[in-house]
Amino acid sequence: MAIRYSNVDHSDIRGKVSSRTAFSLTWRALKRSHCSGFTLVELLVVISIIGLLIAVLVPSLSRARHSAASVSCRSNLRQLMHGMQYYVSDHGVFPGTHSLFYMQALFSQAWPRISGVTWDGARDRLVDLDYTAAYTQPLHLDPEFVVDVPNRGTLFPYMKDERPYLCPSDRPGKASDSATGGGGNGRLSYSLNAYIGYRSPDSLFSFTYVADSPDNLLPGDTGSRSFHAGEHVVYAPARFMAMFEEHPNFHMNSAYPDGNFNGLDRIATRHMSATDSNKNDVRGRTGIVFLDGHAEGRIYPAKTEGRSLFADFGQPYFWRRSGPPDIPNMSAFIKRLDGPCPW
């Protein structure tokens, strides 16, 4: 008798057999893997790959972090410059700077820099030209410094916010003579061009030298620039440097904790890679805002001095690299005051 099969789903049988076979093969493979484990060579290869990935990614992450801080720093400078513009719209001139009062001695006597007469709020115990510090170190723990800077500055009523005064990479601590400058004073990272206090923006479009100013070195000692008596220099607002990110050790977090950038001060090139931050001969990025209100993250050699930056766009400065101070040109450039504050 012939046996007939009907209504049998052969595909279902094959599927069950195939599933059991696959499960069996997978189980045997797992058992072999469990029994054998990683060899030492395989483990070393994995560790090497992880180390290589770390070596590639960490510098990239560090550069990204410094780049983000540099962008934020330039944003701070733009905000401060906008505050300056509001101040100028009310008073017709830029707020006072410390060198403005110091150099009144060129005319008669140096006016004391008390709280409330300069843009940043810092003060000192200046008598004639004898300087005595008004604060104790570390500055960020001095309660008087914390109260004065920046809240008692003449710019603060237009800002009403302490945050734009401090670079995100500037941490309070001890300043050092390094590329980044170590720690800052915890309240102020930026300085106003020392010689433009109480001057109107319109008066900063040009200057005529009244005496020779020879051999002014340019940034990085790449050359020099000389100016002669009677020479008329025109300043493009987009090139005239108004505010700077100052090096904490010269003099932002040392003997002169003020937002005053003169020829002897130095820029902070703190926006660099972490691997270069402890070197003194490297180039780094610093924040600068210009008279027209735009800010740049420029690359300069570490600890570049203000006088080389001033020479680059033609502004006179007081302390020469050699010889006596440039009294004739500074007397013509800064504003003469009748008192510590004209209003």
Side-chain angles (χ1 to χ4, degrees):
M1 180 188 301
I3 300 174
R4 300 178 64 185
Y5 296 93
S6 62
N7 300 324
V8 177
D9 189 349
H10 297 281
S11 63
D12 183 61
I13 295 173
R14 286 194 299 271
K16 292 179 180 179
V17 173
S18 177
S19 298
R20 286 196 294 271
T21 302
F23 177 79
S24 177
L25 292 173
T26 302
W27 175 250
R28 286 198 294 272
L30 287 172
K31 288 182 66 178
R32 286 197 302 271
S33 175
H34 178 73
C35 293
S36 60
F38 285 107
T39 66
L40 179 59
V41 173
E42 291 171 334
L43 186 61
L44 291 175
V45 169
V46 171
I47 293 174
S48 298
I49 292 173
I50 294 173
L52 180 62
L53 289 173
I54 292 174
V56 171
L57 291 175
V58 167
S60 298
L61 292 174
S62 176
R63 284 193 294 270
R65 185 172 63 252
H66 282 279
S67 178
S70 178
V71 171
S72 179
C73 188
R74 295 198 296 273
S75 176
N76 287 347
L77 284 165
R78 282 192 294 270
Q79 291 182 64
L80 289 171
M81 198 61 184
H82 289 160
M84 298 282 180
Q85 291 168 352
Y86 284 118
Y87 184 99
V88 170
S89 68
D90 282 348
H91 300 288
V93 295
F94 280 104
T97 59
H98 292 260
S99 287
L100 170 72
F101 294 103
Y102 178 87
M103 291 183 183
Q104 295 306 306
L106 301 179
F107 309 117
S108 56
Q109 60 179 321
W111 295 103
R113 292 164 288 191
I114 59 177
S115 179
V117 296
T118 57
W119 80 274
D120 56 288
R123 53 189 165 86
D124 59 45
R125 299 187 177 96
L126 183 73
V127 178
D128 293 326
L129 297 183
D130 295 326
Y131 175 89
T132 302
Y135 308 108
T136 59
Q137 299 283 348
L139 293 168
H140 65 283
L141 298 181
D142 185 311
E144 293 187 350
F145 184 77
V146 171
V147 169
D148 287 348
V149 180
N151 302 67
R152 289 184 175 171
T154 54
L155 184 67
F156 193 75
Y158 300 88
M159 299 297 299
K160 297 182 173 63
D161 189 355
E162 296 178 355
R163 289 173 296 180
Y165 289 81
L166 192 66
C167 171
S169 297
D170 189 357
R171 299 288 187 269
K174 185 177 181 180
S176 63
D177 188 9
S178 63
T180 58
N185 60 41
R187 307 294 295 173
L188 187 65
S189 303
Y190 312 110
S191 289
L192 184 61
N193 186 324
Y195 309 122
I196 68 173
Y198 292 159
R199 289 200 56 171
S200 67
D202 292 347
S203 70
L204 297 173
F205 292 161
S206 65
F207 175 70
T208 300
Y209 278 80
V210 299
D212 290 343
S213 178
D215 303 324
N216 300 285
L217 291 179
L218 298 174
D221 295 341
T222 55
S224 64
R225 189 176 181 185
S226 297
F227 304 95
H228 306 287
E231 183 175 351
H232 187 70
V233 180
V234 177
Y235 302 129
R239 292 195 66 238
F240 191 101
M241 298 180 180
M243 293 193 75
F244 306 80
E245 186 176 2
E246 188 176 336
H247 194 291
N249 202 43
F250 297 93
H251 296 93
M252 187 63 80
N253 194 24
S254 56
Y256 307 95
D258 53 49
N260 184 76
F261 195 82
N262 61 41
L264 295 180
D265 291 324
R266 299 181 181 182
I267 56 172
T269 52
R270 60 169 61 93
H271 302 297
M272 58 179 64
S273 66
T275 56
D276 293 334
S277 61
N278 293 320
K279 299 178 181 179
N280 288 324
D281 58 348
V282 298
R283 298 169 67 86
R285 196 175 299 278
T286 189
I288 298 175
V289 69
F290 297 80
L291 194 62
D292 67 346
H294 88 280
E296 296 181 12
R298 289 194 171 185
I299 297 177
Y300 286 109
K303 299 188 291 186
T304 294
E305 293 182 325
R307 51 191 168 189
S308 64
L309 298 175
F310 295 144
D312 194 24
F313 66 93
Q315 179 188 308
Y317 55 88
F318 191 62
W319 300 105
R320 304 179 192 269
R321 291 181 183 270
S322 61
D326 189 356
I327 294 177
N329 287 311
M330 290 312 303
S331 297
F333 191 84
I334 66 173
K335 185 170 182 177
R336 183 170 184 169
L337 301 180
D338 295 325
C341 186
W343 38 76

